[in-house]
C-alpha cells in the first residue's frame, strides 16, 4: 500500500542536499562580476557555450555510470564540480580562469540533471509501487530548491554590497561541502540493479535504442530539449535585458530571486495543472507566446521581469511533466542513462543557440534576441499540445529490458 509519509521521510536527506546545492550566493551578481573582470555579451555567449559543450561530453557516460555503479556517488561528483566552480570563479581575475570555472559548473550539470530525476522517480516507485506521485514529489524538490535559490539570491545581493562581488563565490563553497554530507545520509533506490544488463555494450545499445524510439520517446525528447532550451535562455541571458535598461545593481538580487522563484511556483503547480489536457496546453502555448513578445518590445523592467518569470514557470512546469512521460516509457535499468542522454541532447542543441544569442545581443541588443526566445517557447507549446492529444490513445508499455537489450546490441554490431 502506498505510504507517502515514508516517501517524504526517505527523501529528506536528498531534499536537504538539493537545498544546500542551491545556495549559490554568486549567481545574482554574476553578470556584474563578469563585466568587472572583462567579459562582454559575446564572451558571455562563449562562456555559456563552453559549459554547454562540456555537459554532453560527460553526461551520457555519467548516466550510464549511475545506472551501473551508484547514482548517489555520481551526485556527489557533481557536488564537487559545483564547489570547484564557486572556488575557481572567486579566484578569477579575467576571462580564461572563469572559463575553467564554467567547465567545472558543466561537470555539476552533467552529473546531476538526469540522475537526480531518476533517483526521485525510482524512490517513488520503491515506496509507493507506482509513478503517480512523481510529479508532485519532484515538484516538492523543485520547491525546496526554489526557496533556497530565492533566499541565496537576496543574501548574495546583500553580501555583494556589504563585502564584495568576489566574496560571494568563496562563501558558497562551505554549503557545497554540507550538501555532500547530506547526500551521504541519503539511502538511494536499488531498482536499477534488478535485471541490469551484464555487458556494457548491451547497456549502451539499449540506451541508444530507447532514445531513438521515434514513435513513443522521440516526441517527448524534442519537447524536453525545447523546454530546457527556453528555460536556459531566460536564466543565462535574461539579466542582460536589465543591463540594457541600466537597472541599478541593487535590483539584481530581487530580480534573480523572482526568476528563481519560478522553480517553486512550478513545483507547487506540478501534478495539479493538467498538461495532459489539450485545452490546458493550448492556453499555456498562448501564454508562452504572449510573454515572449514582451521581450521583443523594449518594455520597462516592470513588464520584462514578470514576463520572464511567467515564461520560466511554464517551461519548468512543462519540463516536470515531460520528465514523467519520459521515465514512464523507460525501464529502471537504463533510466539515468536515458535521462542523461536527453539532457545531453538539450545542451548540444543549446550550444549553437547560446552563441547566436550572444552575437545577436552584442550586435543588435535584446529586442531582436527576444524573437529567438519566442520561437523556442512557442515550439515547446506546440509539442505539448501534440503530446496531450496523444495521451488519450492507449499507452505503450515501457521498453522491455533483456530482450530489447540483446536485440539492440545485435543491431549495433550489425550497423558496424
Amino acid at each position: 500500500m502506498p505510504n507517502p509519509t515514508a516517501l517524504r521521510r526517505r527523501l529528506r536527506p536528498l531534499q536537504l542536499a538539493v537545498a544546500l546545492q542551491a545556495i549559490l550566493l554568486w549567481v545574482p551578481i554574476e553578470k556584474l562580476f563578469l563585466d568587472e573582470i572583462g567579459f562582454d555579451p559575446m564572451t558571455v555567449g562563449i562562456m555559456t557555450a563552453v559549459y554547454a559543450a562540456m555537459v554532453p561530453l560527460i553526461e551520457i557516460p555519467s548516466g550510464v555510470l549511475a545506472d551501473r555503479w551508484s547514482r548517489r556517488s555520481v551526485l556527489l561528483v557533481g557536488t564537487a564540480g559545483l564547489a570547484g566552480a564557486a572556488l575557481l570563479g572567486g579566484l578569477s581575475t579575467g576571462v580564461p580562469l572563469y572559463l575553467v570555472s564554467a567547465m567545472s559548473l558543466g561537470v555539476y550539470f552533467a552529473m546531476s540533471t538526469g540522475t537526480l530525476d531518476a533517483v526521485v522517480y525510482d524512490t517513488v516507485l520503491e515506496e509507493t509501487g507506482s509513478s503517480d506521485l512523481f510529479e508532485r514529489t519532484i515538484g516538492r524538490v523543485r520547491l525546496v530548491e526554489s526557496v533556497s535559490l530565492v533566499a541565496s539570491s537576496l543574501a548574495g545581493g546583500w553580501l555583494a554590497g556589504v563585502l564584495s562581488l568576489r566574496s560571494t563565490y568563496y562563501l558558497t563553497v562551505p554549503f557545497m561541502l554540507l550538501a555532500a554530507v547530506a547526500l551521504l545520509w541519503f539511502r538511494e533506490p536499488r531498482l536499477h540493479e534488478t535485471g541490469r544488463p551484464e555487458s556494457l555494450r548491451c547497456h549502451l545499445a539499449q540506451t541508444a535504442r530507447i532514445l531513438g524510439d521515434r514513435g513513443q520517446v522521440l516526441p517527448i525528447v524534442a519537447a524536453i530539449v525545447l523546454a530546457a532550451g527556453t528555460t536556459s535562455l531566460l536564466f543565462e541571458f535574461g539579466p542582460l535585458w536589465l543591463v540594457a535598461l541600466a537597472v541599478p545593481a541593487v535590483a539584481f538580487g530581487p530580480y534573480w530571486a523572482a526568476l528563481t522563484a519560478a522553480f517553486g511556483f512550478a513545483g507547487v503547480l506540478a501534478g495539479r495543472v493538467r498538461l495532459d489536457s489539450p485545452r490546458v496546453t493550448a492556453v499555456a502555448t498562448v501564454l508562452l507566446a504572449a510573454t515572449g513578445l514582451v521581450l521583443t518590445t523594449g518594455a520597462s523592467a516592470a513588464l520584462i521581469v514578470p514576463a520572464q518569470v511567467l515564461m520560466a514557470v511554464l517551461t519548468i512546469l512543462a519540463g516536470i511533466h515531460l520528465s514523467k512521460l519520459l521515465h514512464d516509457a523507460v525501464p529502471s535499468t537504463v533510466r539515468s542513462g536515458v535521462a542523461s542522454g536527453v539532457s545531453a541532447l538539450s545542451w548540444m542543441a543549446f550550444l549553437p543557440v547560446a552563441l547566436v544569442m550572444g552575437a545577436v545581443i552584442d550586435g543588435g541588443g535584446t529586442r531582436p534576441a527576444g524573437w529567438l526566445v519566442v520561437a523556442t517557447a512557442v515550439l515547446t507549446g506546440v509539442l505539448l499540445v501534440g503530446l496531450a492529444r496523444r495521451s488519450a490513445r492507449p499507452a505503450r508499455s515501457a521498453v522491455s529490458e533483456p530482450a530489447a537489450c540483446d536485440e539492440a546490441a545485435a543491431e549495433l554490431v550489425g550497423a558496424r
Side-chain angles (χ1 to χ4, degrees), residues 105-151:
L105 184 63
V107 172
Y108 162 70
F109 282 122
M111 293 290 177
S112 64
T113 45
T115 302
L116 178 63
D117 284 7
V119 166
V120 173
Y121 188 93
D122 277 358
T123 303
V124 171
L125 281 183
E126 280 193 359
E127 293 293 338
T128 69
S130 75
S131 65
D132 293 344
L133 294 179
F134 172 72
E135 286 187 75
R136 292 198 179 193
T137 303
I138 195 68
R140 279 194 291 271
V141 173
R142 300 297 179 223
L143 176 60
V144 168
E145 181 181 36
S146 174
V147 170
S148 191
L149 283 169
V150 170

Side-chain angles (χ1 to χ4, degrees), residues 357-369:
M357 192 76 167
V360 171
I361 294 176
D362 194 38
T366 54
R367 290 180 65 178

Side-chain angles (χ1 to χ4, degrees), residues 149-173:
L149 283 169
V150 170
S152 66
S153 295
L154 296 173
W158 177 76
L159 287 169
V162 173
L163 301 175
S164 67
L165 298 176
R166 191 179 301 275
S167 67
T168 60
Y169 286 81
Y170 294 130
L171 291 172
T172 297
V173 177

Side-chain angles (χ1 to χ4, degrees), residues 157-215:
W158 177 76
L159 287 169
V162 173
L163 301 175
S164 67
L165 298 176
R166 191 179 301 275
S167 67
T168 60
Y169 286 81
Y170 294 130
L171 291 172
T172 297
V173 177
F175 293 101
M176 301 306 107
L177 300 179
L178 292 173
V181 173
L183 282 173
L184 290 172
W185 179 26
F186 173 63
R187 179 168 61 91
E188 69 174 300
R190 297 292 180 182
L191 282 175
H192 62 288
E193 297 178 355
T194 305
R196 181 168 55 197
E198 295 182 3
S199 164
L200 176 60
R201 185 183 66 177
C202 185
H203 194 127
L204 292 172
Q206 186 182 2
T207 301
R209 181 177 182 272
I210 293 171
L211 285 171
D213 181 1
R214 296 184 180 181

Side-chain angles (χ1 to χ4, degrees), residues 63-133:
V64 174
L65 185 65
D67 285 330
R68 300 186 66 83
W69 175 40
S70 165
R71 291 173 178 172
R72 183 180 62 180
S73 297
V74 168
L75 292 175
L76 282 166
V77 174
T79 304
L82 195 53
L87 180 60
L88 291 171
L91 293 171
S92 298
T93 56
V95 173
L97 185 57
Y98 203 90
L99 291 179
V100 179
S101 171
M103 294 171 68
S104 186
L105 184 63
V107 172
Y108 162 70
F109 282 122
M111 293 290 177
S112 64
T113 45
T115 302
L116 178 63
D117 284 7
V119 166
V120 173
Y121 188 93
D122 277 358
T123 303
V124 171
L125 281 183
E126 280 193 359
E127 293 293 338
T128 69
S130 75
S131 65
D132 293 344
L133 294 179

